[in-house]
């Protein structure tokens, strides 16, 4: 194994879990028991048929609010809500159009992939396409003379583009229809509204960033006009955080389009993309968030007294998000690990929260920038495209070439092109990424803790840090030591990562953070070991890391922690007086190889044992003291049986190939130890 391959980010889905079929059935059964009175769906859907536009608008707005509680969604789906809301998208009243589109948007966002696919199956794309075309025709229509009416059309378009984005993100059928009916033009028209309506433009940019990823059919049809619009956005100079997010999304879209760019413009476009990412990462959220919160307080003090309905709604939303985070979130399995749901309703904030919107835009822009850089560090090999939002799972990337090769994989040819490598170094991206791996600043965290409506930003700040750590892992996996500043810079980075993990009284327990930081640490220690640079982790730290990892449910955390033990142990085996530490490492690895429930982790632990005890007097002494030979002899038949019994069906062919190689290597290593004993 011993291999840590950089992996690619897929655009994250709004709610990646959605509603499994079992949940829908269970909810249906509950409703049958409780009757229609307990479910608002029947009454609200009935009101959609009212001759009064006000009643229809009220019904749509109510549905929009109710479906944010995902347990209510099955009740609406059971009553054919999609087919009944579809015609409302083309209602005579603009207000009904907006609220109906908002209801479907929330249904798609809160219901997840399965609900989105069901919506496409029920032909929601037909009225949505018609609505988007009407909206775009209305942007400059002579018949629309009043600013208020123009804004109303743009408000409808904003809801429609968000709905389109959610559907294309979750449904391949929606993406196919997007290509087939030529919706790129209408989304570009919405993006072109950025001087007048940045909110609409951001929604369009999010949608474009999604539909241009891994969509060769669409990329073939791109023309210079589309490229020109994106470049105009990239060259805009408005200083707001909303415009920063807009430029970041345009940069990500241009990166997705890199294969379709004219050759003469590729270098210039790449430079502009990296320059924008660099500027975004330069922004200090630790300073800006307290400033934005202070600006909000000043605005409230200077504003005339007004009803507190909106303020109460936002505070309730903040409290609900906080309660959801405190409760154990529902989980699903991804690449052999569990992933928490990210219920993020920040884009549903009511108007009048400009400063909070700005803070949210800043953090979203920085998270997106880091994800784009990760993708830049990936090769274009199709096998690299298995990234999931919360996953950097190395276990899915293991190959037979990783067996018994120690830490040599970082010396293999780098996958970065010279142009990308040069641009990232020119704009000091590695240093800026390392800076973003620091814990969120206390002042910003305090400000968010003190105000219910700002508390959702705490998770966003933590996510930026986790993305930065994943980004650092990718950079370390694709650049050489000299490009990153040499031995001194690498030691400084290692010390920084050690502080993140061991600086607090207790080891961090957040799985997303642990996965990202241990992945980065593994890559860094591999590079340090390959350059014979002294390690900075103490044996006590190693053991506490190993113990914390073995308690973690995420497979890749356990895999990377075991690999770190192997990297450190194989380095120590070359030094004098290290037998006692090697014994600690050997015992820890034996425990994992024997007791971990996952075969991939067992295999990684065995692979690490081969590296640590492969050679040297200290390793021989330690191996004898921990009775390594009899322990491995006892483990061998168990490991073989486990592969035979559990392998097929549960693990990929690639993983099984690796495990078979480890089985062979185990036999050979036992033979080697037997010779050592006879010496």
């Amino acid at each position: 194994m011993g291999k840590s391959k950089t992996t690619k980010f897929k655009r994250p889905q709004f709610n990646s879990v959605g509603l499994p079929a079992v949940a829908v059935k269970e909810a249906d059964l509950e409703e049958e028991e409780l009757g229609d009175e307990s479910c608002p769906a029947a009454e609200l859907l009935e009101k959609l048929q009212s001759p009064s536009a006000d009643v229809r608008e009220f019904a749509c707005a109510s549905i929009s609010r109710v479906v944010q509680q995902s347990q209510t969604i099955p009740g609406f789906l059971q009553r054919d809500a999609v087919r009944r809301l579809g015609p409302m998208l083309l209602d005579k009243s603009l207000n009904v159009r907006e609220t109906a589109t908002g209801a479907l948007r929330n249904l798609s966002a809160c219901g997840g992939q399965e609900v989105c696919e069901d919506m496409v199956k029920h032909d929601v794309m037909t009225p949505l396409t018609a609505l988007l075309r009407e909206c775009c025709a209305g942007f400059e229509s002579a018949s629309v003379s009043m600013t208020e009416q123009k804004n109303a059309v743009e408000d409808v378009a904003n809801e429609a583009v968000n709905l389109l984005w959610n559907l294309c993100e979750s449904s391949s059928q929606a993406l196919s229809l997007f290509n087939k009916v030529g919706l790129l033009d209408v989304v570009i028209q919405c993006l072109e509204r950025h001087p007048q309506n940045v909110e609409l433009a951001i929604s369009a940019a999010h949608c474009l960033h999604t539909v241009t990823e891994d969509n060769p059919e669409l990329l073939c049809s791109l023309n210079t006009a589309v490229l020109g619009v994106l470049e105009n956005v990239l060259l805009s100079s408005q200083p707001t955080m909303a415009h920063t997010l807009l430029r970041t999304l345009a940069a990500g879209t241009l990166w997705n389009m890199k294969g379709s760019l004219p050759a003469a413009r590729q270098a210039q476009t790449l430079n502009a993309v990296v320059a924008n990412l660099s500027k975004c990462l330069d922004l200090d959220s630790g300073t800006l968030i307290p400033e934005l919160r202070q600006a909000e307080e000043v605005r409230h003090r200077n504003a005339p007294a007004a009803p507190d309905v909106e303020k109460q709604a936002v505070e309730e939303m903040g409290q609900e998000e906080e309660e959801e985070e405190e409760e154990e979130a529902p989980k699903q399995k991804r690449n052999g690990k569990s992933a928490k749901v990210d219920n993020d309703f920040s884009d549903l904030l009511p108007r009048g929260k400009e400063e909070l919107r700005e803070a949210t835009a800043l953090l979203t822009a920085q998270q997106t920038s880091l994800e784009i850089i990760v993708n830049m560090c990936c090769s274009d090999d199709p096998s690299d495209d298995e990234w999931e939002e919360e996953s950097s799972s190395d276990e899915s990337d293991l190959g037979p070439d990783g067996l018994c090769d120690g830490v040599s994989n970082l010396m293999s040819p780098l996958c970065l092109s010279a142009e990308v490598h040069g641009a990232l170094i020119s704009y000091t991206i590695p240093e800026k990424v390392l800076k973003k791996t620091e814990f969120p600043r206390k002042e910003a965290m305090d400000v968010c803790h003190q105000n219910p409506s700002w508390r959702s930003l705490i998770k966003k700040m933590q996510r930026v840090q986790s993305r930065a750590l994943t980004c650092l892992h990718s950079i370390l996996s694709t650049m050489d030591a000299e490009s990153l500043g040499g031995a001194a810079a690498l030691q400084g980075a290692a010390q920084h990562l050690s502080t993140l993990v061991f600086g607090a009284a207790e080891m961090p327990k957040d799985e997303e953070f642990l996965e990202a930081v241990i992945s980065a640490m593994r890559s860094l220690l591999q590079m340090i070991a390959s350059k014979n640079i002294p390690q900075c982790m103490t044996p006590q730290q190693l053991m506490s890391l190993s113990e914390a990892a073995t308690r973690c449910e995420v497979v890749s955390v356990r895999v990377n922690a075991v690999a770190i033990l192997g990297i450190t142990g194989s380095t120590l085996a070359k030094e004098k007086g290290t037998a006692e530490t090697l014994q600690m490492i050997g015992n820890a690895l034996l425990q994992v190889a024997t007791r971990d429930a996952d075969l991939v982790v067992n295999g990684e632990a065995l692979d690490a044992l081969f590296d640590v005890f492969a050679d040297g007097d200290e390793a021989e002494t330690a191996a004898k003291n921990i009775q390594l030979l009899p322990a491995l002899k006892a483990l061998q038949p168990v490991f073989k049986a486990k592969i035979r019994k559990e392998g097929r069906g549960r693990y990929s062919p690639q993983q099984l190939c690796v495990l078979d190689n480890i089985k062979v290597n185990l036999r050979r290593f036992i033979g080697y130890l037997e010779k050592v004993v006879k010496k």
Side-chain angles (χ1 to χ4, degrees), residues 208-242:
L208 279 174
H209 193 201
T210 294
V211 299
T212 53
E213 184 172 33
D214 299 328
N215 187 357
E217 184 184 346
L218 179 67
L219 295 180
C220 289
S221 66
L222 293 175
N223 53 42
T224 52
V226 173
L227 182 58
V229 172
L230 288 163
E231 287 179 340
N232 284 338
V233 171
L234 213 58
L235 295 172
S236 63
S237 57
Q238 293 94 325
T240 69
M241 298 303 104

Side-chain angles (χ1 to χ4, degrees), residues 343-517:
N343 291 318
D344 177 0
F345 294 101
S346 58
D347 60 337
L348 307 180
L349 286 168
R351 291 193 173 95
K353 303 294 292 183
E354 290 85 359
E355 295 83 6
L356 181 53
R357 283 180 178 276
E358 281 282 276
T360 303
L362 165 62
L363 295 173
T364 305
Q366 294 193 330
Q367 177 183 328
T368 305
S369 294
L370 292 162
E371 291 172 358
I372 294 166
I373 295 165
V374 169
N375 289 351
M376 286 182 158
C377 291
C378 293
S379 72
D380 290 327
D381 190 309
S383 65
D384 288 341
D385 293 342
E386 297 304 322
W387 177 268
E388 303 258 35
E389 183 197 357
E390 293 93 347
S391 173
S392 59
S393 303
D394 291 326
E395 70 272 17
S396 62
D397 296 310
L398 302 168
D401 57 325
L403 278 169
C404 291
D405 63 357
V407 294
S408 63
N409 74 294
L410 283 170
M411 298 298 100
S412 60
L414 305 176
C415 71
L416 278 186
S417 70
E419 293 79 9
V420 173
H421 182 278
L424 294 178
I425 296 298
S426 174
Y427 286 97
T428 64
I429 295 296
E431 291 89 333
K432 292 176 183 181
V433 169
L434 184 63
K435 180 76 176 166
K436 291 298 174 192
T437 65
E438 295 174 358
F439 284 114
R441 195 175 294 180
K442 183 178 182 300
E443 293 83 352
M445 294 289 277
D446 288 347
V447 159
C448 294
H449 272 299
Q450 289 160 11
N451 190 284
S453 61
W454 286 64
R455 282 180 196 155
S456 62
L457 296 187
I458 294 170
K459 185 65 179 173
K460 294 180 188 299
M461 285 188 277
Q462 292 167 339
R463 179 147 293 153
V464 168
Q465 182 194 25
S466 292
R467 288 294 185 270
L469 287 162
T470 300
C471 192
L472 179 63
H473 159 71
S474 296
I475 287 170
L476 289 164
S477 299
T478 52
M479 291 189 182
D480 55 67
E482 287 67 35
S483 296
L484 298 171
L490 293 175
Q491 278 187 312
Q495 192 60 54
H496 169 65
L497 293 184
S498 294
T499 303
L500 291 181
V501 178
F502 306 113
E506 287 186 358
M507 282 277 292
K509 292 184 174 65
D510 180 76
E511 289 182 354
E512 187 176 5
F513 171 78
L514 259 182
E515 183 175 18
V517 75

